[in-house]
Amino acid sequence: MMRQMIIASLLLAVPLIRTSAQADPNFYIFLCFGQSNMEGAARPEAEDLQSPGSRFLLMPAVDYPDAKPARKMGEWCEAIPPLCRPNTGLTPVDYFGRTMIETLPEHIRVGVIHVAIGGIRIEGFMPDQIAEYAKTAPGWMIPMLAAYGNNPYERLVTLAKKAQKDGVIKGVLMHQGESNTGDPQWADKVQQVYDHLLGDLQLKPEEVPLLAGEVVQANGEGQCIAMNRQIDELPKTLHTSCVISSTGCSNGPDKLHFDAAGYRELGRRYGEKMLSLLGYIPRTPFAVSNDAVTAETTIPGNEFPKVDSERRAYFRVNAPEANRVQVDICGKKYDMRRNEQGLWCAVTDPLVVGFHYYFIHIGGQNFIDPATETFFGCCRQAGGIEIPEGQEGDYYRPQQGTPRGHVRSLYYYAKSTEEWRHAMVYTPAEYEKGKKRYPVLYLQHGMGEDETGWSKQGRMQHIMDNLIASGEAVPMIVVMESGDVKAPFQGGDNRQGFSEYGATFYKVMMNDLIPYIDTQFRTLTDRDHRAMAGLSWGGHQTFDIVLSNMDKFAWMGAFSGAIFGLNVREAYDGVFTRSEAFNRQIHYLFLSCGSEENFGTETLAKNLRDSGINVDYYVSPGTHHEWLTWRRSFRQFVPHLFKK
């Protein structure tokens, strides 16, 4: 299987191009040795087999005759797994190198020499003991030793000397100890190996630190976890050494070896430590930009989520017993990183401005970030984050000095469905002060959302307050109901006028909701003072309800309306073929969409116009099927209502 992975990669060996005998000071070389966890015991996954490019190179310590193309011992090639020997697995060195080149300047390359043998004791790397050790090695280890000429230390040094002609050795990476658990002389023996390396390669200890990784912890059940006490004390003996914590690094079922995710995390920690020793700040999710501020959707008392000036979002979640955590936002899942206290962190790519749902993914399930406000979307409660616009977004923000309306939460009984139902109702600021009656807009959300969407995600009330205060919109009541589309799409016949999904709402609206609103609020009850609009499936419902009840409505709008394949000659009993009558009855028809979505709205508007229907069409620049599109659409739509 590993051979197939190498063949599938189709990567050519990358020669180190040097025309001079002088070593390149910008080619950083690292010596890597140890036993099975350095060798790599987890099968690489698809993400691991993507080449890191020509800045991360491997000088193989053995031949890879079956690789395509073949790898030759001592010849630089791109560092894709397996790095140790053919048929070995993912190793911490893979993500050590990848982490290094993510942060180091573009002109700096990283090269590794990798010698490791599963189960080998530290004596197997001690020059004065390796010959005797090889004589008593277990049978299963003999082929591994033979691959290195029965002297892994000599192979490491021989290749290191060759590599010094090309670059500069900057450090040593070690992962060993499981086979020496309880050996009180282990630290002294590591010191001897390190001293021999420095002497044979003429290196200075202050310029070549040794990084030693802890062994598998497995939540306190690691098979060799007792060895970590000795590893942690190594700097007391070897003063230029640093310990790499394995806390939180996930492991395989044997509780001896890391799994692929564990190797990635441990490798990143090796890389981050080496970068810091070299004077670089690692580009890790824990490095939060100085200009990042707590998101406005974050629950007070929490520091994260945060958003920086480049519109990157930072998330932190406390999940000390989880093995893998991801944040799922804007169609992409980001692996979160865990620190030693069990705190997981991630930073996203720059996000587009506006509101976005997101989830924390743990163990195959989506969870809500406990630090964020919740919003009903995706057919369930979800986390959400606002990526702020600049001043152009002030139209949906509350403005100081602007009179504020109210959003009321109310329950009413629907005889049509014999149930209590919930609605949200906006009344303008002036509503409380007199006996005036007001026109009504019935405003629907989209599939998988609910009646709270327009007031929470959509900021409807702030848009209304600002438009009324500026004189652009007449004061009106806005009613928002669930529309019976909170559950996932059910399929069935959903042609215009024949809808099954959400159709139970149609009779509720006409027989229960409108009469209830007209009796409980001071409304103008004639058709000229009643409008309906909706986003996505709410736009579909708007077409179904209004065009089947034109004696009750005179204004309508669909924002990214799910109005697919509308036949303008036949839909709704041919209402669009009677354009003069339609234009007299519907005082204003508004259609909109985001420039980056493909909902067919432009074609719909054209077909209606070609049929003589008056249509106002708006495109939100740079937005997709999202709340920013619908905020902008609402802001464009409302000023036209109830003015004819």
Side-chain angles (χ1 to χ4, degrees), residues 203-428:
L203 301 172
K204 298 178 181 179
E206 63 272 17
E207 296 177 354
V208 186
L210 181 142
L211 307 188
E214 290 183 337
V215 302
V216 166
Q217 297 194 26
N219 295 321
E221 298 180 357
Q223 287 199 32
C224 300
I225 192 172
M227 185 63 193
N228 282 342
R229 289 195 296 270
Q230 295 174 255
I231 295 173
D232 292 345
E233 293 183 353
L234 179 62
K236 294 180 180 179
T237 300
L238 204 168
H239 302 302
T240 55
S241 67
C242 297
V243 176
I244 308 303
S245 171
S246 65
T247 300
C249 294
S250 53
N251 54 272
D254 62 2
K255 299 181 181 179
L256 180 64
H257 299 101
F258 299 99
D259 60 13
Y263 284 120
R264 293 186 199 108
E265 178 60 26
L266 189 63
R268 292 187 185 107
R269 294 180 185 181
Y270 271 100
E272 290 161 6
K273 185 61 179 179
M274 185 59 71
L275 285 165
S276 67
L277 294 174
L278 293 171
Y280 294 94
I281 300 175
R283 294 180 185 175
T284 73
F286 296 100
V288 180
S289 174
N290 290 333
D291 62 10
V293 297
T294 301
E296 60 184 275
T297 40
T298 300
I299 295 174
N302 294 277
E303 184 181 2
F304 290 85
K306 285 187 170 185
V307 181
D308 69 17
S309 61
E310 295 183 6
R311 306 191 312 277
R312 296 179 300 174
Y314 299 81
F315 299 94
R316 286 189 177 178
V317 177
N318 187 22
E321 296 185 9
N323 290 327
R324 187 180 188 187
V325 181
Q326 294 176 303
V327 59
D328 186 351
I329 185 170
C330 293
K332 182 175 180 178
K333 290 182 178 179
Y334 296 86
D335 282 326
M336 302 188 78
R337 298 283 310 285
R338 172 179 166 156
N339 67 10
E340 297 179 22
Q341 288 73 45
L343 196 65
W344 296 79
C345 179
V347 58
T348 69
D349 299 331
L351 303 173
V352 296
V353 294
F355 174 87
H356 305 291
Y357 298 113
Y358 76 94
F359 291 98
I360 302 299
H361 191 77
I362 305 175
Q365 295 292 326
N366 282 332
F367 296 91
I368 301 172
D369 183 350
T372 192
E373 298 284 355
T374 57
F375 306 84
F376 195 91
C378 310
C379 304
R380 56 166 292 180
Q381 290 292 338
I385 188 169
E386 186 78 23
I387 307 300
E389 287 190 281
Q391 292 182 347
E392 68 273 18
D394 284 348
Y395 72 92
Y396 59 77
R397 300 184 181 113
Q399 300 298 315
Q400 189 172 5
T402 297
R404 311 251 56 86
H406 298 279
V407 177
R408 308 162 191 248
S409 171
L410 58 87
Y411 289 86
Y412 69 100
Y413 188 78
K415 293 182 180 179
S416 299
T417 54
E418 297 183 342
E419 63 181 345
W420 287 96
R421 299 177 65 99
H422 183 235
M424 308 294 289
V425 179
Y426 166 84
T427 54

Side-chain angles (χ1 to χ4, degrees), residues 117-125 129-152 179:
I117 295 176
I120 195 169
R121 292 176 61 86
I122 193 63
E123 289 84 352
F125 291 97
Q129 295 193 35
I130 180 58
E132 195 63 31
Y133 179 80
K135 293 177 183 179
T136 60
W140 52 266
M141 191 184 293
I142 291 175
M144 302 181 198
L145 285 166
Y148 299 119
N150 291 317
N151 195 324
S179 296

Side-chain angles (χ1 to χ4, degrees), residues 111-175:
V112 294
I113 301 171
H114 194 286
V115 175
I117 295 176
I120 195 169
R121 292 176 61 86
I122 193 63
E123 289 84 352
F125 291 97
M126 299 176 68
D128 57 347
Q129 295 193 35
I130 180 58
E132 195 63 31
Y133 179 80
K135 293 177 183 179
T136 60
W140 52 266
M141 191 184 293
I142 291 175
M144 302 181 198
L145 285 166
Y148 299 119
N150 291 317
N151 195 324
Y153 175 84
E154 182 179 338
R155 180 65 55 86
L156 183 64
V157 170
T158 298
L159 294 178
K161 289 180 178 179
K162 182 176 182 180
Q164 282 181 306
K165 298 177 182 178
D166 302 318
V168 180
I169 295 175
K170 289 287 189 176
V172 178
L173 278 60
M174 181 188 76
H175 198 284

Side-chain angles (χ1 to χ4, degrees), residues 40-179:
R43 178 175 298 180
E45 298 174 354
E47 63 187 285
D48 311 315
L49 295 172
Q50 298 177 5
S51 172
S54 59
R55 288 184 59 217
F56 179 29
L57 304 177
L58 167 72
M59 178 180 279
V62 298
D63 289 335
Y64 289 61
D66 294 325
K68 299 297 181 182
R71 292 181 178 182
K72 295 291 185 180
M73 180 177 68
E75 295 182 4
W76 294 107
C77 62
E78 289 186 3
I80 57 171
L83 302 186
C84 188
R85 298 186 308 279
N87 301 316
T88 56
L90 193 67
T91 164
V93 179
D94 283 288
Y95 279 81
F96 163 79
R98 293 172 191 239
T99 301
M100 294 289 287
I101 62 174
E102 285 177 359
T103 296
L104 290 171
E106 290 290 331
H107 66 280
I108 296 179
R109 294 170 297 163
V110 171
V112 294
I113 301 171
H114 194 286
V115 175
I117 295 176
I120 195 169
R121 292 176 61 86
I122 193 63
E123 289 84 352
F125 291 97
M126 299 176 68
D128 57 347
Q129 295 193 35
I130 180 58
E132 195 63 31
Y133 179 80
K135 293 177 183 179
T136 60
W140 52 266
M141 191 184 293
I142 291 175
M144 302 181 198
L145 285 166
Y148 299 119
N150 291 317
N151 195 324
Y153 175 84
E154 182 179 338
R155 180 65 55 86
L156 183 64
V157 170
T158 298
L159 294 178
K161 289 180 178 179
K162 182 176 182 180
Q164 282 181 306
K165 298 177 182 178
D166 302 318
V168 180
I169 295 175
K170 289 287 189 176
V172 178
L173 278 60
M174 181 188 76
H175 198 284
Q176 197 280 332
E178 292 95 334
S179 296

